[in-house]
């Protein structure tokens, strides 16, 4: 079940809470799902069962809740032993959507980009998780609102959040530079501080992830369509950029089960 935050401050940073009590929604019968680099932080609160993750040469098998602030390389997930969980999907603005809830800088979040939530927040989150296990889905959504707003501090919001609200939701660099009169070096300083990424890397990730989402949704193997739709120079550029971020060619992605396939369709 999907629930949107009901508190305006949270709506600036969070798309939805996805409360799952039927793990078949996450697996489609596949034991392995891939997740790729992108600009959408996710937080998974485990309400029952456990998961296995292979990432950066290490394997994690745990029932602890997890925060994905940034994925540097592809993650292989086995979620078939999860019984119930909550996925908090933050806005696709990189770390800038997450930082208002954490007293951590971008360098720290990028370094420890996949972490247990009790290491990022505090030990009380385990008590909170136990409390959520006793609630219905609508009650969980209400409690998440209250828990997150208690951690929220407006002064941690940065330029990228304000820019996305007021100037350019797509973070188009040309539009931002024209509206702010900032040089690229000034924008780079703001982006690095707020998201951990340069503006060009941010836009590159945004573009490729939009292309991959469409690829999985439509199964369209006409590469020229993506070149025209997303501004790649040519077929070689498109294929190389997809492979750089996912380790797969577009043709291989069509045969590779991914977490992006099981996200709610409009997210």
């Amino acid at each position: 079940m999907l629930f949107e935050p009901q508190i305006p401050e949270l709506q600036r940073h969070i798309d939805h809470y996805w409360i799952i009590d039927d793990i078949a929604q996450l697996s489609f019968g596949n034991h392995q799902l891939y997740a790729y680099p992108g600009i959408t932080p996710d937080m998974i609160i485990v309400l029952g069962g456990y998961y296995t993750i292979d990432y950066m040469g290490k394997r994690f098998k745990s029932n602890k809740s997890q925060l994905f602030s940034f994925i540097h390389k592809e993650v292989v997930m086995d979620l078939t032993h999860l019984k119930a969980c909550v996925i908090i999907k933050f806005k696709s603005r990189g770390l800038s959507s997450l930082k208002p809830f954490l007293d951590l800088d971008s360098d720290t979040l990028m370094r420890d980009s996949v972490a247990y939530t009790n290491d990022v927040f505090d030990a009380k989150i385990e008590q909170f998780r136990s409390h959520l296990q006793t609630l219905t889905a609508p009650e969980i959504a209400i409690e998440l609102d209250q828990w997150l707003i208690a951690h929220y501090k407006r002064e941690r919001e940065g330029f990228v959040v304000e820019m996305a609200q007021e100037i350019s939701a797509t973070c188009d660099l040309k539009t931002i530079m024209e509206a702010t009169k900032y040089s690229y070096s000034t924008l780079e300083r703001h982006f690095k501080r707020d998201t951990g990424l340069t503006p060009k890397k941010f836009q590159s990730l945004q573009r490729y992830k939009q292309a991959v989402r469409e690829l999985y949704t439509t199964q369209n193997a006409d590469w020229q369509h993506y070149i025209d739709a997303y501004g790649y120079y040519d077929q070689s550029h498109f294929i190389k950029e997809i492979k750089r971020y996912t380790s797969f060619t577009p043709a291989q992605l069509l045969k590779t089960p991914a977490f992006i396939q099981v996200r709610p369709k409009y997210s």
Side-chain angles (χ1 to χ4, degrees), residues 54-86:
D54 290 286
Y55 181 55
M56 304 284 279
K58 296 182 180 179
R59 171 165 287 191
F60 306 87
K61 182 178 179 180
S62 181
N63 64 352
K64 290 184 177 180
S65 301
Q66 198 92 25
L67 176 66
F68 296 84
S69 54
F70 184 80
I71 299 175
H72 293 279
K73 289 190 173 182
E74 71 274 9
V75 175
V76 184
M77 304 184 294
D78 184 344
L79 306 176
T80 54
H81 296 286
L82 268 181
K83 298 184 183 300
C85 67
V86 177

PDB file of all heavy atoms in Angstrom, residues 54-86:
ATOM      1  N   ASP A  54      24.395  -8.131  -1.779  1.00  0.00           N
ATOM      2  CA  ASP A  54      25.788  -8.153  -2.228  1.00  0.00           C
ATOM      3  C   ASP A  54      26.141  -6.782  -2.761  1.00  0.00           C
ATOM      4  O   ASP A  54      25.509  -6.293  -3.715  1.00  0.00           O
ATOM      5  CB  ASP A  54      25.977  -9.204  -3.336  1.00  0.00           C
ATOM      6  CG  ASP A  54      25.858 -10.625  -2.806  1.00  0.00           C
ATOM      7  OD1 ASP A  54      26.797 -11.062  -2.136  1.00  0.00           O
ATOM      8  OD2 ASP A  54      24.829 -11.271  -3.079  1.00  0.00           O
ATOM      9  N   TYR A  55      27.156  -6.160  -2.154  1.00  0.00           N
ATOM     10  CA  TYR A  55      27.494  -4.790  -2.527  1.00  0.00           C
ATOM     11  C   TYR A  55      28.968  -4.512  -2.252  1.00  0.00           C
ATOM     12  O   TYR A  55      29.466  -4.800  -1.158  1.00  0.00           O
ATOM     13  CB  TYR A  55      26.624  -3.808  -1.738  1.00  0.00           C
ATOM     14  CG  TYR A  55      26.868  -2.347  -2.058  1.00  0.00           C
ATOM     15  CD1 TYR A  55      26.772  -1.868  -3.361  1.00  0.00           C
ATOM     16  CD2 TYR A  55      27.190  -1.441  -1.059  1.00  0.00           C
ATOM     17  CE1 TYR A  55      26.990  -0.530  -3.650  1.00  0.00           C
ATOM     18  CE2 TYR A  55      27.404  -0.092  -1.337  1.00  0.00           C
ATOM     19  CZ  TYR A  55      27.308   0.346  -2.639  1.00  0.00           C
ATOM     20  OH  TYR A  55      27.527   1.674  -2.935  1.00  0.00           O
ATOM     21  N   MET A  56      29.650  -3.983  -3.247  1.00  0.00           N
ATOM     22  CA  MET A  56      31.053  -3.574  -3.115  1.00  0.00           C
ATOM     23  C   MET A  56      31.935  -4.692  -2.560  1.00  0.00           C
ATOM     24  O   MET A  56      32.785  -4.487  -1.698  1.00  0.00           O
ATOM     25  CB  MET A  56      31.148  -2.329  -2.218  1.00  0.00           C
ATOM     26  CG  MET A  56      30.306  -1.156  -2.675  1.00  0.00           C
ATOM     27  SD  MET A  56      30.988  -0.262  -4.095  1.00  0.00           S
ATOM     28  CE  MET A  56      32.211   0.770  -3.290  1.00  0.00           C
ATOM     29  N   GLY A  57      31.671  -5.919  -3.034  1.00  0.00           N
ATOM     30  CA  GLY A  57      32.494  -7.047  -2.634  1.00  0.00           C
ATOM     31  C   GLY A  57      32.142  -7.671  -1.305  1.00  0.00           C
ATOM     32  O   GLY A  57      32.835  -8.579  -0.838  1.00  0.00           O
ATOM     33  N   LYS A  58      31.062  -7.229  -0.676  1.00  0.00           N
ATOM     34  CA  LYS A  58      30.655  -7.769   0.621  1.00  0.00           C
ATOM     35  C   LYS A  58      29.221  -8.277   0.547  1.00  0.00           C
ATOM     36  O   LYS A  58      28.420  -7.796  -0.240  1.00  0.00           O
ATOM     37  CB  LYS A  58      30.779  -6.704   1.717  1.00  0.00           C
ATOM     38  CG  LYS A  58      32.199  -6.234   1.960  1.00  0.00           C
ATOM     39  CD  LYS A  58      32.244  -5.209   3.084  1.00  0.00           C
ATOM     40  CE  LYS A  58      33.662  -4.726   3.335  1.00  0.00           C
ATOM     41  NZ  LYS A  58      33.715  -3.712   4.422  1.00  0.00           N
ATOM     42  N   ARG A  59      28.908  -9.241   1.418  1.00  0.00           N
ATOM     43  CA  ARG A  59      27.552  -9.769   1.499  1.00  0.00           C
ATOM     44  C   ARG A  59      26.977  -9.473   2.883  1.00  0.00           C
ATOM     45  O   ARG A  59      27.613  -9.718   3.904  1.00  0.00           O
ATOM     46  CB  ARG A  59      27.526 -11.274   1.230  1.00  0.00           C
ATOM     47  CG  ARG A  59      26.179 -11.925   1.510  1.00  0.00           C
ATOM     48  CD  ARG A  59      26.055 -13.312   0.923  1.00  0.00           C
ATOM     49  NE  ARG A  59      25.913 -13.223  -0.527  1.00  0.00           N
ATOM     50  CZ  ARG A  59      25.565 -14.260  -1.293  1.00  0.00           C
ATOM     51  NH1 ARG A  59      25.358 -15.445  -0.752  1.00  0.00           N
ATOM     52  NH2 ARG A  59      25.429 -14.102  -2.594  1.00  0.00           N
ATOM     53  N   PHE A  60      25.761  -8.931   2.883  1.00  0.00           N
ATOM     54  CA  PHE A  60      25.061  -8.632   4.127  1.00  0.00           C
ATOM     55  C   PHE A  60      23.817  -9.527   4.193  1.00  0.00           C
ATOM     56  O   PHE A  60      23.028  -9.547   3.243  1.00  0.00           O
ATOM     57  CB  PHE A  60      24.601  -7.172   4.177  1.00  0.00           C
ATOM     58  CG  PHE A  60      25.686  -6.162   3.942  1.00  0.00           C
ATOM     59  CD1 PHE A  60      26.022  -5.758   2.654  1.00  0.00           C
ATOM     60  CD2 PHE A  60      26.372  -5.598   4.998  1.00  0.00           C
ATOM     61  CE1 PHE A  60      27.009  -4.822   2.426  1.00  0.00           C
ATOM     62  CE2 PHE A  60      27.367  -4.657   4.780  1.00  0.00           C
ATOM     63  CZ  PHE A  60      27.692  -4.267   3.499  1.00  0.00           C
ATOM     64  N   LYS A  61      23.654 -10.226   5.281  1.00  0.00           N
ATOM     65  CA  LYS A  61      22.434 -10.997   5.539  1.00  0.00           C
ATOM     66  C   LYS A  61      21.913 -10.530   6.876  1.00  0.00           C
ATOM     67  O   LYS A  61      22.554 -10.737   7.905  1.00  0.00           O
ATOM     68  CB  LYS A  61      22.723 -12.499   5.550  1.00  0.00           C
ATOM     69  CG  LYS A  61      21.492 -13.360   5.770  1.00  0.00           C
ATOM     70  CD  LYS A  61      21.862 -14.841   5.729  1.00  0.00           C
ATOM     71  CE  LYS A  61      20.652 -15.719   5.982  1.00  0.00           C
ATOM     72  NZ  LYS A  61      21.019 -17.165   5.942  1.00  0.00           N
ATOM     73  N   SER A  62      20.766  -9.875   6.875  1.00  0.00           N
ATOM     74  CA  SER A  62      20.347  -9.196   8.099  1.00  0.00           C
ATOM     75  C   SER A  62      18.841  -8.976   8.142  1.00  0.00           C
ATOM     76  O   SER A  62      18.164  -9.001   7.116  1.00  0.00           O
ATOM     77  CB  SER A  62      21.062  -7.840   8.188  1.00  0.00           C
ATOM     78  OG  SER A  62      20.718  -7.153   9.363  1.00  0.00           O
ATOM     79  N   ASN A  63      18.347  -8.750   9.345  1.00  0.00           N
ATOM     80  CA  ASN A  63      16.967  -8.317   9.531  1.00  0.00           C
ATOM     81  C   ASN A  63      16.923  -6.862  10.003  1.00  0.00           C
ATOM     82  O   ASN A  63      15.878  -6.362  10.412  1.00  0.00           O
ATOM     83  CB  ASN A  63      16.236  -9.214  10.524  1.00  0.00           C
ATOM     84  CG  ASN A  63      16.831  -9.140  11.931  1.00  0.00           C
ATOM     85  OD1 ASN A  63      17.876  -8.524  12.139  1.00  0.00           O
ATOM     86  ND2 ASN A  63      16.188  -9.781  12.886  1.00  0.00           N
ATOM     87  N   LYS A  64      18.073  -6.188   9.946  1.00  0.00           N
ATOM     88  CA  LYS A  64      18.129  -4.786  10.353  1.00  0.00           C
ATOM     89  C   LYS A  64      17.629  -3.884   9.220  1.00  0.00           C
ATOM     90  O   LYS A  64      17.770  -4.204   8.041  1.00  0.00           O
ATOM     91  CB  LYS A  64      19.565  -4.393  10.711  1.00  0.00           C
ATOM     92  CG  LYS A  64      20.096  -5.021  11.987  1.00  0.00           C
ATOM     93  CD  LYS A  64      21.484  -4.471  12.292  1.00  0.00           C
ATOM     94  CE  LYS A  64      22.023  -5.029  13.597  1.00  0.00           C
ATOM     95  NZ  LYS A  64      23.378  -4.481  13.880  1.00  0.00           N
ATOM     96  N   SER A  65      17.102  -2.752   9.618  1.00  0.00           N
ATOM     97  CA  SER A  65      16.649  -1.773   8.633  1.00  0.00           C
ATOM     98  C   SER A  65      17.861  -1.094   8.004  1.00  0.00           C
ATOM     99  O   SER A  65      18.921  -0.967   8.622  1.00  0.00           O
ATOM    100  CB  SER A  65      15.730  -0.750   9.293  1.00  0.00           C
ATOM    101  OG  SER A  65      14.609  -1.399   9.857  1.00  0.00           O
ATOM    102  N   GLN A  66      17.690  -0.644   6.754  1.00  0.00           N
ATOM    103  CA  GLN A  66      18.826  -0.181   5.957  1.00  0.00           C
ATOM    104  C   GLN A  66      18.516   1.161   5.301  1.00  0.00           C
ATOM    105  O   GLN A  66      17.378   1.411   4.884  1.00  0.00           O
ATOM    106  CB  GLN A  66      19.113  -1.206   4.860  1.00  0.00           C
ATOM    107  CG  GLN A  66      20.471  -1.114   4.236  1.00  0.00           C
ATOM    108  CD  GLN A  66      21.499  -1.998   4.903  1.00  0.00           C
ATOM    109  OE1 GLN A  66      21.157  -2.995   5.514  1.00  0.00           O
ATOM    110  NE2 GLN A  66      22.758  -1.636   4.801  1.00  0.00           N
ATOM    111  N   LEU A  67      19.534   2.011   5.223  1.00  0.00           N
ATOM    112  CA  LEU A  67      19.415   3.281   4.515  1.00  0.00           C
ATOM    113  C   LEU A  67      20.359   3.268   3.319  1.00  0.00           C
ATOM    114  O   LEU A  67      21.561   3.049   3.466  1.00  0.00           O
ATOM    115  CB  LEU A  67      19.774   4.454   5.430  1.00  0.00           C
ATOM    116  CG  LEU A  67      19.769   5.839   4.776  1.00  0.00           C
ATOM    117  CD1 LEU A  67      18.359   6.240   4.357  1.00  0.00           C
ATOM    118  CD2 LEU A  67      20.363   6.885   5.709  1.00  0.00           C
ATOM    119  N   PHE A  68      19.795   3.481   2.128  1.00  0.00           N
ATOM    120  CA  PHE A  68      20.585   3.599   0.902  1.00  0.00           C
ATOM    121  C   PHE A  68      20.635   5.083   0.551  1.00  0.00           C
ATOM    122  O   PHE A  68      19.749   5.593  -0.131  1.00  0.00           O
ATOM    123  CB  PHE A  68      19.942   2.809  -0.235  1.00  0.00           C
ATOM    124  CG  PHE A  68      19.901   1.327  -0.002  1.00  0.00           C
ATOM    125  CD1 PHE A  68      18.875   0.754   0.737  1.00  0.00           C
ATOM    126  CD2 PHE A  68      20.892   0.504  -0.515  1.00  0.00           C
ATOM    127  CE1 PHE A  68      18.832  -0.614   0.955  1.00  0.00           C
ATOM    128  CE2 PHE A  68      20.866  -0.867  -0.299  1.00  0.00           C
ATOM    129  CZ  PHE A  68      19.830  -1.428   0.442  1.00  0.00           C
ATOM    130  N   SER A  69      21.664   5.771   1.018  1.00  0.00           N
ATOM    131  CA  SER A  69      21.753   7.196   0.724  1.00  0.00           C
ATOM    132  C   SER A  69      22.304   7.426  -0.677  1.00  0.00           C
ATOM    133  O   SER A  69      21.921   8.375  -1.353  1.00  0.00           O
ATOM    134  CB  SER A  69      22.627   7.911   1.763  1.00  0.00           C
ATOM    135  OG  SER A  69      23.896   7.303   1.883  1.00  0.00           O
ATOM    136  N   PHE A  70      23.186   6.534  -1.118  1.00  0.00           N
ATOM    137  CA  PHE A  70      23.701   6.592  -2.482  1.00  0.00           C
ATOM    138  C   PHE A  70      24.281   5.225  -2.822  1.00  0.00           C
ATOM    139  O   PHE A  70      24.903   4.587  -1.976  1.00  0.00           O
ATOM    140  CB  PHE A  70      24.777   7.668  -2.632  1.00  0.00           C
ATOM    141  CG  PHE A  70      25.280   7.832  -4.043  1.00  0.00           C
ATOM    142  CD1 PHE A  70      24.537   8.559  -4.958  1.00  0.00           C
ATOM    143  CD2 PHE A  70      26.462   7.249  -4.467  1.00  0.00           C
ATOM    144  CE1 PHE A  70      24.976   8.707  -6.270  1.00  0.00           C
ATOM    145  CE2 PHE A  70      26.908   7.392  -5.766  1.00  0.00           C
ATOM    146  CZ  PHE A  70      26.160   8.119  -6.674  1.00  0.00           C
ATOM    147  N   ILE A  71      24.074   4.768  -4.059  1.00  0.00           N
ATOM    148  CA  ILE A  71      24.622   3.487  -4.505  1.00  0.00           C
ATOM    149  C   ILE A  71      25.757   3.771  -5.479  1.00  0.00           C
ATOM    150  O   ILE A  71      25.539   4.342  -6.548  1.00  0.00           O
ATOM    151  CB  ILE A  71      23.537   2.616  -5.175  1.00  0.00           C
ATOM    152  CG1 ILE A  71      22.416   2.313  -4.176  1.00  0.00           C
ATOM    153  CG2 ILE A  71      24.139   1.317  -5.688  1.00  0.00           C
ATOM    154  CD1 ILE A  71      21.250   1.562  -4.789  1.00  0.00           C
ATOM    155  N   HIS A  72      26.973   3.396  -5.106  1.00  0.00           N
ATOM    156  CA  HIS A  72      28.134   3.660  -5.951  1.00  0.00           C
ATOM    157  C   HIS A  72      28.231   2.667  -7.106  1.00  0.00           C
ATOM    158  O   HIS A  72      28.621   3.030  -8.210  1.00  0.00           O
ATOM    159  CB  HIS A  72      29.417   3.592  -5.118  1.00  0.00           C
ATOM    160  CG  HIS A  72      29.528   4.692  -4.118  1.00  0.00           C
ATOM    161  ND1 HIS A  72      29.962   5.948  -4.442  1.00  0.00           N
ATOM    162  CD2 HIS A  72      29.252   4.728  -2.785  1.00  0.00           C
ATOM    163  CE1 HIS A  72      29.966   6.720  -3.364  1.00  0.00           C
ATOM    164  NE2 HIS A  72      29.537   5.998  -2.346  1.00  0.00           N
ATOM    165  N   LYS A  73      27.912   1.401  -6.825  1.00  0.00           N
ATOM    166  CA  LYS A  73      27.903   0.360  -7.845  1.00  0.00           C
ATOM    167  C   LYS A  73      26.618  -0.428  -7.687  1.00  0.00           C
ATOM    168  O   LYS A  73      25.893  -0.282  -6.707  1.00  0.00           O
ATOM    169  CB  LYS A  73      29.116  -0.561  -7.704  1.00  0.00           C
ATOM    170  CG  LYS A  73      30.436   0.077  -8.090  1.00  0.00           C
ATOM    171  CD  LYS A  73      31.539  -0.973  -8.145  1.00  0.00           C
ATOM    172  CE  LYS A  73      32.822  -0.382  -8.696  1.00  0.00           C
ATOM    173  NZ  LYS A  73      33.901  -1.411  -8.806  1.00  0.00           N
ATOM    174  N   GLU A  74      26.359  -1.317  -8.672  1.00  0.00           N
ATOM    175  CA  GLU A  74      25.115  -2.066  -8.610  1.00  0.00           C
ATOM    176  C   GLU A  74      25.046  -2.915  -7.339  1.00  0.00           C
ATOM    177  O   GLU A  74      26.053  -3.403  -6.832  1.00  0.00           O
ATOM    178  CB  GLU A  74      24.934  -2.939  -9.851  1.00  0.00           C
ATOM    179  CG  GLU A  74      25.866  -4.129  -9.942  1.00  0.00           C
ATOM    180  CD  GLU A  74      27.197  -3.802 -10.580  1.00  0.00           C
ATOM    181  OE1 GLU A  74      27.474  -2.601 -10.803  1.00  0.00           O
ATOM    182  OE2 GLU A  74      27.968  -4.743 -10.835  1.00  0.00           O
ATOM    183  N   VAL A  75      23.845  -3.059  -6.821  1.00  0.00           N
ATOM    184  CA  VAL A  75      23.559  -3.879  -5.641  1.00  0.00           C
ATOM    185  C   VAL A  75      22.736  -5.078  -6.091  1.00  0.00           C
ATOM    186  O   VAL A  75      21.796  -4.923  -6.882  1.00  0.00           O
ATOM    187  CB  VAL A  75      22.757  -3.080  -4.590  1.00  0.00           C
ATOM    188  CG1 VAL A  75      22.359  -3.973  -3.420  1.00  0.00           C
ATOM    189  CG2 VAL A  75      23.553  -1.892  -4.095  1.00  0.00           C
ATOM    190  N   VAL A  76      23.084  -6.260  -5.600  1.00  0.00           N
ATOM    191  CA  VAL A  76      22.284  -7.449  -5.872  1.00  0.00           C
ATOM    192  C   VAL A  76      21.541  -7.806  -4.593  1.00  0.00           C
ATOM    193  O   VAL A  76      22.157  -8.036  -3.550  1.00  0.00           O
ATOM    194  CB  VAL A  76      23.158  -8.641  -6.327  1.00  0.00           C
ATOM    195  CG1 VAL A  76      22.267  -9.824  -6.696  1.00  0.00           C
ATOM    196  CG2 VAL A  76      24.027  -8.244  -7.506  1.00  0.00           C
ATOM    197  N   MET A  77      20.210  -7.835  -4.667  1.00  0.00           N
ATOM    198  CA  MET A  77      19.381  -8.039  -3.482  1.00  0.00           C
ATOM    199  C   MET A  77      18.572  -9.324  -3.610  1.00  0.00           C
ATOM    200  O   MET A  77      18.005  -9.606  -4.679  1.00  0.00           O
ATOM    201  CB  MET A  77      18.415  -6.860  -3.297  1.00  0.00           C
ATOM    202  CG  MET A  77      19.087  -5.512  -3.206  1.00  0.00           C
ATOM    203  SD  MET A  77      17.911  -4.168  -2.868  1.00  0.00           S
ATOM    204  CE  MET A  77      16.964  -4.193  -4.380  1.00  0.00           C
ATOM    205  N   ASP A  78      18.520 -10.074  -2.540  1.00  0.00           N
ATOM    206  CA  ASP A  78      17.615 -11.214  -2.428  1.00  0.00           C
ATOM    207  C   ASP A  78      16.632 -10.875  -1.313  1.00  0.00           C
ATOM    208  O   ASP A  78      16.989 -10.848  -0.132  1.00  0.00           O
ATOM    209  CB  ASP A  78      18.392 -12.494  -2.101  1.00  0.00           C
ATOM    210  CG  ASP A  78      17.494 -13.732  -2.065  1.00  0.00           C
ATOM    211  OD1 ASP A  78      16.256 -13.567  -1.992  1.00  0.00           O
ATOM    212  OD2 ASP A  78      18.026 -14.851  -2.080  1.00  0.00           O
ATOM    213  N   LEU A  79      15.403 -10.586  -1.705  1.00  0.00           N
ATOM    214  CA  LEU A  79      14.374 -10.153  -0.756  1.00  0.00           C
ATOM    215  C   LEU A  79      13.319 -11.231  -0.513  1.00  0.00           C
ATOM    216  O   LEU A  79      12.291 -10.964   0.103  1.00  0.00           O
ATOM    217  CB  LEU A  79      13.696  -8.882  -1.269  1.00  0.00           C
ATOM    218  CG  LEU A  79      14.620  -7.707  -1.612  1.00  0.00           C
ATOM    219  CD1 LEU A  79      13.821  -6.552  -2.190  1.00  0.00           C
ATOM    220  CD2 LEU A  79      15.397  -7.253  -0.386  1.00  0.00           C
ATOM    221  N   THR A  80      13.597 -12.451  -0.989  1.00  0.00           N
ATOM    222  CA  THR A  80      12.569 -13.496  -0.946  1.00  0.00           C
ATOM    223  C   THR A  80      12.253 -13.958   0.472  1.00  0.00           C
ATOM    224  O   THR A  80      11.221 -14.595   0.694  1.00  0.00           O
ATOM    225  CB  THR A  80      12.990 -14.697  -1.802  1.00  0.00           C
ATOM    226  OG1 THR A  80      14.296 -15.144  -1.398  1.00  0.00           O
ATOM    227  CG2 THR A  80      13.028 -14.329  -3.265  1.00  0.00           C
ATOM    228  N   HIS A  81      13.129 -13.650   1.430  1.00  0.00           N
ATOM    229  CA  HIS A  81      12.880 -14.074   2.811  1.00  0.00           C
ATOM    230  C   HIS A  81      12.342 -12.940   3.685  1.00  0.00           C
ATOM    231  O   HIS A  81      12.178 -13.114   4.893  1.00  0.00           O
ATOM    232  CB  HIS A  81      14.164 -14.646   3.425  1.00  0.00           C
ATOM    233  CG  HIS A  81      14.641 -15.889   2.733  1.00  0.00           C
ATOM    234  ND1 HIS A  81      14.016 -17.111   2.882  1.00  0.00           N
ATOM    235  CD2 HIS A  81      15.658 -16.081   1.857  1.00  0.00           C
ATOM    236  CE1 HIS A  81      14.641 -18.016   2.146  1.00  0.00           C
ATOM    237  NE2 HIS A  81      15.634 -17.420   1.511  1.00  0.00           N
ATOM    238  N   LEU A  82      12.103 -11.791   3.057  1.00  0.00           N
ATOM    239  CA  LEU A  82      11.420 -10.720   3.774  1.00  0.00           C
ATOM    240  C   LEU A  82       9.940 -11.071   3.894  1.00  0.00           C
ATOM    241  O   LEU A  82       9.336 -11.554   2.938  1.00  0.00           O
ATOM    242  CB  LEU A  82      11.548  -9.396   3.024  1.00  0.00           C
ATOM    243  CG  LEU A  82      12.703  -8.468   3.371  1.00  0.00           C
ATOM    244  CD1 LEU A  82      12.619  -7.209   2.518  1.00  0.00           C
ATOM    245  CD2 LEU A  82      12.698  -8.099   4.838  1.00  0.00           C
ATOM    246  N   LYS A  83       9.373 -10.806   5.047  1.00  0.00           N
ATOM    247  CA  LYS A  83       7.937 -11.054   5.240  1.00  0.00           C
ATOM    248  C   LYS A  83       7.126  -9.772   5.146  1.00  0.00           C
ATOM    249  O   LYS A  83       6.017  -9.759   4.636  1.00  0.00           O
ATOM    250  CB  LYS A  83       7.710 -11.744   6.586  1.00  0.00           C
ATOM    251  CG  LYS A  83       8.385 -13.112   6.693  1.00  0.00           C
ATOM    252  CD  LYS A  83       8.035 -13.784   7.994  1.00  0.00           C
ATOM    253  CE  LYS A  83       8.775 -15.113   8.140  1.00  0.00           C
ATOM    254  NZ  LYS A  83       8.454 -16.055   7.055  1.00  0.00           N
ATOM    255  N   ALA A  84       7.678  -8.696   5.648  1.00  0.00           N
ATOM    256  CA  ALA A  84       6.995  -7.401   5.599  1.00  0.00           C
ATOM    257  C   ALA A  84       8.040  -6.301   5.777  1.00  0.00           C
ATOM    258  O   ALA A  84       9.044  -6.484   6.471  1.00  0.00           O
ATOM    259  CB  ALA A  84       5.926  -7.301   6.696  1.00  0.00           C
ATOM    260  N   CYS A  85       7.786  -5.150   5.141  1.00  0.00           N
ATOM    261  CA  CYS A  85       8.729  -4.034   5.269  1.00  0.00           C
ATOM    262  C   CYS A  85       8.046  -2.736   4.857  1.00  0.00           C
ATOM    263  O   CYS A  85       6.945  -2.736   4.295  1.00  0.00           O
ATOM    264  CB  CYS A  85       9.971  -4.262   4.416  1.00  0.00           C
ATOM    265  SG  CYS A  85       9.670  -4.246   2.626  1.00  0.00           S
ATOM    266  N   VAL A  86       8.722  -1.647   5.153  1.00  0.00           N
ATOM    267  CA  VAL A  86       8.324  -0.317   4.699  1.00  0.00           C
ATOM    268  C   VAL A  86       9.473   0.251   3.892  1.00  0.00           C
ATOM    269  O   VAL A  86      10.629   0.191   4.330  1.00  0.00           O
ATOM    270  CB  VAL A  86       8.010   0.623   5.872  1.00  0.00           C
ATOM    271  CG1 VAL A  86       7.678   2.025   5.349  1.00  0.00           C
ATOM    272  CG2 VAL A  86       6.891   0.086   6.728  1.00  0.00           C
TER     273      VAL A  86
END
